[in-house]
Structures are given as C-alpha cells and as structure tokens.
Amino acid sequence: MTDRHIPARGAIFRLTLPALLIWLIAAGLAMAQTFPDLTGRVVDGAGILSSETESRIADRLAAHESRSSDQIVVATIADTQGLTIEEYANRLFRHWGLGQAEENNGVLLLVAVDDRKLRIEVGYGLEGTLTDALAKLIIDDTIVPQFRGGDFEEGIRLGTEDIIAVLEGNEAELQARAERYDEQADLGPELFAWIFMGIFVSIFGGMFLLALLAPIFGRKIGPGLYKWMGVRVSYSSSSSGGSSGRRSSSSRSSGFSGGGGSSGGGGASGGW
C-alpha cells in the first residue's frame, strides 16, 4: 500500500510544479507592468498625433471638463504588454484615477497601435449615459473607418467629439454633475487656506518663541549661541553652517491629474 502511494504523490508533484512555475511567471509579469505618466488630457505615447491635433483635442476636452467635470483622456500606446485591451485599459484607468472620486465620471479612449486594438473605458458614473452600445457605435462607425484609411488623427478627433456629444446630450444631468462638483470644489481652497495658516503659525510662531526665550531660559554655549530644549539658537549675523532650516522646492509638471475616479470595466473595444 505504501509503495503504491509514493509514485502517486510524485505524479501529483510533477503535475503541480509546471502550474506553479506558470503562476510565478504570470505574477512576475503582473509586477513588471508599467504605465505611462498622466501628463495631460492627451498622452500620445505612440507618437501618432501632430502637436496641432494634440493641442486641439486637449483644448476641446478641457472645455468640456470645465463645463461638466467629466474627465476624458486620450492615450495612445505601442502595445498592451501582453494584456488584453480590456485589461490594460481598466488598469490604466484605475492607475490614473480618471474622473472625480465622488462622480466616477472619467472616460479613457485608448489606442494600441501595434496591436491594432482600441477601447473606450467608461467610469461607473457615466455608464448610464455613455452606454456600452453607444461606445461600440462610436468605435465601429466613427473611429475604425478612419483608422483603416490610415488617418489616426481624424479618427481620434472625431471619436472624442462623439464621446462629448453623447455626454452633453442630457443637459440637465450635465449641469447637475457640474453643480455637485463645484460645491465640493468650493470647499477645497478654503480648507487648504486654513490648513496652510495652521502650519504657518505653528512653524514660524514656534521659531519666534524659541528665538525670544532661548537667551532667557537657555544656556549660553558661545558668543551669540544658546542651547535650550535641545536646540541650538544662534544670534550671529554671519553664521556659516548653523542653520537648522531647509529650503525645498517643488514643481508641478502640468497641474493635470486624475481626480480619483474608477471604472468597473464598462465600455467597448474594437480593432482595425
């Protein structure tokens, strides 16, 4: 009995080892997945758009977003790195966080040039307006014919116009979304101002009190130099290295980013 069971266990081990290796390879590929940076409303990674067309589309999308808060982004890539167009589009959408978090009103038009695939990925909040059927219609009737004729620029431009036309078809819903977002956005600057003021007062108020009280309660350790509460305070006008503060600078590339929205896989795909 025992001798018969030993080969059986070995057979099971031999069968599961390849599956384990396949799983490890798949996990490694998933960890190696890379996405382009969200540098603007048009991210032309494949380099198929002229600067004029890219600017024209970006301006159109910005105008729509300012009216409705709907965030539409166009992205072109070489390929989907072994994923299906649906998987890549959904992961990229979530990675960028397109649309406002409260509304989930983002749309991604993704074109994978070498794969000859494209997809319109729709956020949760817009699935009732830009339905799967309408997204498929835009792909098949507007974008794909232009792509097959070799005109990527016109296909993408007309496709974005159709997406905007669908989203703006219900003016009441468009206005309601815009008003909800404006109410939320109005709280942002005021809250930021209070937080900034609190930080400013804490830092500079603390520094002022430290400088004022160090000569009174601190211990003098040198000419114009006192130590109080573990901090050295210098009153020398020509100190060379005793500064405890650091100056940092930050830059924002374009001021554009996703609003934290998400997608559950709504939309449509196509090829040419």
Side-chain angles (χ1 to χ4, degrees), residues 157-217:
R157 189 190 68 80
L158 292 175
T160 56
E161 288 293 338
D162 280 0
I163 291 171
I164 292 172
V166 170
L167 296 179
E168 292 186 348
N170 189 337
E171 192 65 29
E173 172 61 20
L174 186 76
Q175 186 62 31
R177 281 201 309 270
E179 289 175 356
R180 288 197 299 270
Y181 179 64
D182 286 342
E183 289 173 359
Q184 294 156 359
D186 287 343
L187 297 175
E190 184 177 0
L191 180 61
F192 176 81
W194 281 108
I195 293 174
F196 178 82
M197 183 62 68
I199 295 173
F200 181 89
V201 171
S202 298
I203 294 175
F204 290 97
M207 292 174 62
F208 176 79
L209 287 175
L210 183 64
L212 182 65
L213 299 177
I216 301 174
F217 298 102

Side-chain angles (χ1 to χ4, degrees), residues 1-13:
M1 292 291 293
T2 305
D3 291 339
R4 286 186 217 169
H5 285 309
I6 292 173
R9 291 196 192 101
I12 292 173
F13 179 78

Side-chain angles (χ1 to χ4, degrees), residues 212-235:
L212 182 65
L213 299 177
I216 301 174
F217 298 102
R219 178 169 59 90
K220 188 172 184 179
I221 57 177
L225 186 62
Y226 296 84
K227 187 174 183 179
W228 184 50
M229 298 181 66
V231 179
R232 292 188 177 188
V233 181
S234 174
Y235 295 87

Side-chain angles (χ1 to χ4, degrees), residues 122-147:
V122 183
Y124 289 114
L126 294 179
E127 288 180 356
T129 304
L130 184 56
T131 62
D132 295 357
L134 287 173
K136 185 64 173 173
L137 191 66
I138 293 171
I139 289 173
D140 291 345
D141 288 4
T142 300
I143 302 177
V144 168
Q146 296 293 330
F147 281 12

